[in-house]
Amino acid sequence: MALDIFKITGPVRLDGTVTISGSKNAALPIIASAILAPGKTILNGVPNLSDIEVMCRLVESLGCKTEAVGGKIVIDSTVIDKPFGDYEIVRKMRAGVCVLGPLLARCGKAEVSMPGGCAIGYRPVDIHLRGLQELGAKIELKNGYIVASANGGLKGANIFLGGPFGSSVLATANILMAAVLAKGKTVIESAACEPEITDLANCLVKMGAKISGIGSPQLTIHGVKDLNPVEHTVIPDRIEAGTFLTAAVITKGKLKLKNCRLEHLMAVVDKLRTMNIAVEENADGCEVSSNGHIRATDITTLPYPGFPTDLQAQFMACLCMAKGNSVVTEKIFPDRFMHVAELSRMAANLRKEGPHVIVSGVEKLIAAPVMASDLRASAALVVAALAAHGETIVNRVYHIDRGYERIEKKLNAVGAKIERQSV
Ligand code: UD1
């Protein structure tokens, strides 16, 4: 893996149009859903990202063939002869765990590596396993692997999927994909309502699944015997869109976002307006502009439709330059604050107290060498660097490449000065 760095010169003012890519977090479970429908599933609008490549490698290791051309991926799942999710692949990306449900449904057994830790904190999979057990799967943990079997097939059940931090996105995806082929009726209570789950459910319905309550916390599924492969276009990436919104805010700029669905960003738009930022919807997306005065505000992350944890770091970067004090509270991943120390190196005034960070706005940020630690924290460092005085070096850019398609090209096209270098 090339250890690229970004050299970012600031401050700049962004102005122009950015086209948002398809959603990574929608595409990942939808690629796994192809396991359920033997034959060729065609997905459009899939972003060209390292996480997507890893997911394709994972389904290939199970027996599928994949082909990627531009934003289109064809997954041929005619043969699944090795229901085994290797540690070497799943450790790279937690979303790999969501092949478990479809494999169990299709093959009656599956062995998938436990995903392991990551920089945003401890992320257990107990809710995934509980849900599958409710559907009749037998589950054992052996040598770091989840060994699951459902000899008599999966059976519909009433399942509560809430956890200590609310609903779980990938657990909902996993259980939903298992339930569509289970015998009888399944009701999932406290299902995640994220647009990525809605997109997955819509794709499953196209394949022939019977699901009602899509988009709500109660999903009702009537199991069917088999599903057919389909063609599907994934929704735009609301987190990439949100990141570009923060880039416009911090640079006191003006951006038009194309292929952006504001209805997926209601909590974000509401916050932006509180922060004195103008956001207008247009035919294919939106326009955001800042008059240069960012107002401080408090942000609490919550499951959808609340404020997304995946935009917490980028918004904190903006609040660093707001007038007044803000409190940022993380309610999904209480340890997701790796960016605090790095933003402080750029002269931000931050104080962490448990799951809260108190942000005291400063007049200016100052460039520094900083370390990317996880995907969204790294994006926040890029956003901060656009406004910081001098040349910021962001190390370990591979974290950003996991979730942003050519971020430096998109930003440079609207006025940023970012240079990628291989070291
Ligand atoms: C998904 C997203 C990630 C986002 C997160 C929350 C993908 C590929 N990733 O991750 O970008 O930050 O949703 O919106 O879509 N939990 C448990 N037990 C479990 C599962 C989760 O306790 O079995 C906890 C987690 O530790 C966390 C909370 O539930 O505190 C929510 O996590 P979850 O929604 O599962 O996150 P992911 O689906 O892994």
Side-chain angles (χ1 to χ4, degrees):
M1 181 198 308
L3 281 181
D4 290 0
I5 62 165
F6 278 161
K7 285 189 173 180
I8 306 176
T9 308
V12 294
R13 181 178 178 276
L14 298 188
D15 191 352
T17 302
V18 176
T19 302
I20 300 304
S21 300
S23 163
K24 166 181 87 78
N25 287 354
L28 290 171
I30 292 177
I31 292 172
S33 77
I35 295 170
L36 295 165
K40 283 188 181 174
T41 292
I42 300 169
L43 300 179
N44 299 308
V46 178
N48 182 10
L49 300 170
S50 54
D51 269 11
I52 299 289
E53 273 169 38
V54 173
M55 196 64 176
C56 286
R57 274 200 11 239
L58 178 56
V59 294
E60 277 171 10
S61 74
L62 309 172
C64 296
K65 293 192 184 102
T66 74
E67 204 184 313
V69 192
K72 181 180 194 159
I73 290 192
V74 182
I75 305 141
D76 184 345
S77 64
T78 309
V79 178
I80 302 271
D81 52 6
K82 203 172 164 236
F84 180 78
D86 200 303
Y87 173 65
E88 283 311 315
I89 306 179
V90 179
R91 78 182 167 85
K92 294 204 173 94
M93 189 192 56
R94 281 184 54 82
V97 78
C98 69
V99 297
L100 189 57
L103 279 178
L104 255 180
R106 167 120 180 228
C107 309
K109 61 178 183 178
E111 229 175 282
V112 178
S113 170
M114 291 275 281
C118 78
I120 70 176
Y122 173 52
R123 294 172 77 180
V125 288
D126 56 316
I127 302 174
H128 298 242
L129 304 188
R130 235 177 37 223
L132 292 172
Q133 279 166 332
E134 300 270 8
L135 289 174
K138 206 173 133 249
I139 295 194
E140 282 176 296
L141 299 180
K142 254 192 217 160
N143 307 328
Y145 279 79
I146 303 157
V147 182
S149 58
N151 290 336
L154 296 170
K155 289 185 190 69
N158 289 344
I159 304 175
F160 178 75
L161 276 193
F165 300 97
S167 54
S168 161
V169 177
L170 288 178
T172 303
N174 232 337
I175 308 312
L176 176 62
M177 288 190 279
V180 287
L181 288 181
K183 237 176 260 149
K185 178 179 161 191
T186 298
V187 178
I188 304 178
E189 292 284 0
S190 196
C193 302
E194 269 69 3
E196 294 76 17
I197 294 296
T198 297
D199 202 26
L200 168 67
N202 286 338
C203 180
L204 291 168
V205 167
K206 268 192 224 166
M207 289 174 168
K210 293 207 162 69
I211 308 169
S212 58
I214 294 174
S216 83
Q218 188 191 66
L219 294 172
T220 303
I221 303 122
H222 290 276
V224 295
K225 279 229 161 64
D226 38 41
L227 296 174
N228 300 309
V230 292
E231 181 160 358
H232 182 78
T233 301
V234 297
I235 55 170
D237 196 313
R238 65 191 167 105
I239 305 301
E240 188 197 14
T243 303
F244 279 98
L245 292 175
T246 60
V249 171
I250 205 165
T251 63
K252 301 169 183 170
K254 190 168 145 190
L255 285 182
K256 268 193 189 147
L257 303 189
K258 279 166 75 171
N259 192 38
C260 158
R261 286 170 61 176
L262 270 200
E263 78 258 30
H264 294 162
L265 285 159
M266 296 290 281
V268 171
V269 171
D270 183 59
K271 270 299 152 202
L272 287 171
R273 290 185 177 143
T274 313
M275 289 162 70
N276 190 33
I277 308 298
V279 190
E280 298 304 330
E281 188 159 18
N282 57 32
D284 187 25
C286 69
E287 196 167 329
V288 57
S289 59
S290 162
N291 64 10
H293 301 284
I294 309 172
R295 210 181 285 139
T297 188
D298 295 342
I299 290 180
T300 301
T301 65
L302 287 169
Y304 190 83
F307 191 93
T309 172
D310 284 351
L311 287 172
Q312 179 253 107
Q314 301 89 314
F315 267 75
M316 190 185 293
C318 292
L319 293 175
C320 288
M321 293 195 55
K323 199 164 172 44
N325 297 335
S326 309
V327 179
V328 176
T329 303
E330 179 54 66
K331 289 238 176 146
I332 311 288
F333 297 110
D335 297 325
R336 190 176 204 174
F337 286 123
M338 300 289 280
H339 43 288
V340 169
E342 301 304 301
L343 288 172
S344 302
R345 304 194 69 248
M346 299 173 78
N349 186 349
L350 304 171
R351 192 154 48 89
K352 182 177 171 310
E353 290 193 0
H356 311 284
V357 172
I358 296 139
V359 185
S360 306
V362 293
E363 287 281 312
K364 70 176 192 182
L365 293 172
I366 300 169
V370 289
M371 190 71 83
S373 56
D374 66 80
L375 171 55
R376 305 306 172 184
S378 317
L381 299 179
V382 172
V383 168
L386 297 171
H389 290 248
E391 186 181 85
T392 296
I393 310 278
V394 181
N395 288 289
R396 299 195 183 170
V397 160
Y398 62 87
H399 286 294
I400 304 177
D401 293 336
R402 287 187 49 199
Y404 293 89
E405 206 176 19
R406 299 174 295 114
I407 194 171
E408 78 278 22
K409 285 197 181 143
K410 288 191 185 184
L411 284 168
N412 286 345
V414 290
K417 292 180 190 151
I418 307 179
E419 206 187 309
R420 181 188 284 262
Q421 285 186 358
S422 287
V423 291

